[in-house]
Amino acid sequence: MKRRYKLLLGFAGLLGAGVIAFAMVLSHDQPCPAPVVAAEGERTMLAVRAHCYGGVDALTLERVPVPTPAADQLLVRVHAAGINPLDWHFLHGQPYIMRMMSGFGRPEDSQVGVDFAGIVEAVGESVSHFRPGDAVFGSVSGAFAEYLVVREGGSVVRMPDGGDF
C-alpha cells in the first residue's frame, strides 16, 4: 500500500474517532442542579424553568427576581405565550446538534418559551419607539414567565389596533 493511502486511511480513522467522541459528548446529560431561590425583599415573579434536558418533568415553576431592563430594553408583562417546535427542541436538547447553541450536558440558560404578547411596563433610557402601556408581541427567550425583557431593536413590534391577546 502506498504511503499516501496509509496517511489518508490514518487521517480518516482519526476523523471518524473524533466524530464519535464529539457525538458522545453532545448526547451526555448532566444531572439537574437545584433551582435558584430569589433573595428576600426582591420583587419576584413566577417563571417556568428547565435546568436540564428532558420532557415536561424537566420543567419547574419557580419564584425568580423580576428582570430589570437595560438602557435599550423593554420590560414586558406577559399576557400570552405560545408553544412551538423550537421550544420542544430546546427542552429535549434534540437533535443533539441543538446543544451546541443551548449547552452541553444541560441548558446554559434555564429560561423557556420564545413567543410572547404583553404590555410594556417600563423602558430603558435609550428606548425611543415604545412607551409603557404599549401592547407588543415578539420572540425572546423566557416567554413562559410573568415578565421578560427584550431589546428595542430585537424581535418585538407593537400590536395592531383592535388586536387582542
Side-chain angles (χ1 to χ4, degrees), residues 104-157:
F104 296 110
R106 68 173 166 242
E108 291 174 2
D109 184 6
S110 63
Q111 299 180 77
V112 292
V114 176
D115 301 325
F116 73 91
I119 302 288
V120 176
E121 292 275 320
V123 296
E125 62 261 9
S126 67
V127 173
S128 59
H129 294 91
F130 297 95
R131 282 184 245 131
D134 286 348
V136 296
F137 69 97
S139 62
V140 68
S141 182
F144 297 163
E146 291 183 274
Y147 294 91
L148 58 80
V149 289
V150 61
R151 286 183 328 106
E152 177 183 29
S155 297
V156 61
V157 294

